[in-house]
Amino acid sequence: VIIDEIMNLVHIDKKISRAKIFLKEDETIILSKNKVCEINLSVYSANLVVHARAQNFRSAAKEAITELKRLIEHQGYRTKKAA
């Protein structure tokens, strides 16, 4: 699911050259939000890094991807789709 969402971003913006996804458990905080998803995306020679915490990895990934999409659109990285 996470890889599919990242691939969708790559199809939208051809300037994305690399994506790193990290899933980890943070044992220093309460168990209800100890699953962490961090995504590092290389776009136009810049790195966008987002992370999210949730009760499970799927939810954390969904939150991180939503934030990543928002950053791409907000910072003007998004290019037009090919016709």
Side-chain angles (χ1 to χ4, degrees), residues 7-45:
M7 291 305 295
N8 285 338
L9 288 176
V10 172
H11 290 302
I12 291 170
D13 193 330
K14 301 297 183 193
K15 298 295 182 178
I16 295 172
S17 61
R18 182 184 316 189
K20 294 181 184 177
I21 304 164
F22 302 94
L23 300 174
K24 58 187 174 185
E25 287 188 55
D26 187 348
E27 296 176 6
T28 63
I29 63 170
I30 57 174
L31 293 177
S32 65
K33 288 202 173 194
N34 72 334
K35 306 297 189 275
V36 179
C37 177
E38 180 176 303
I39 302 173
N40 183 329
L41 198 67
S42 296
V43 183
Y44 290 107
S45 302

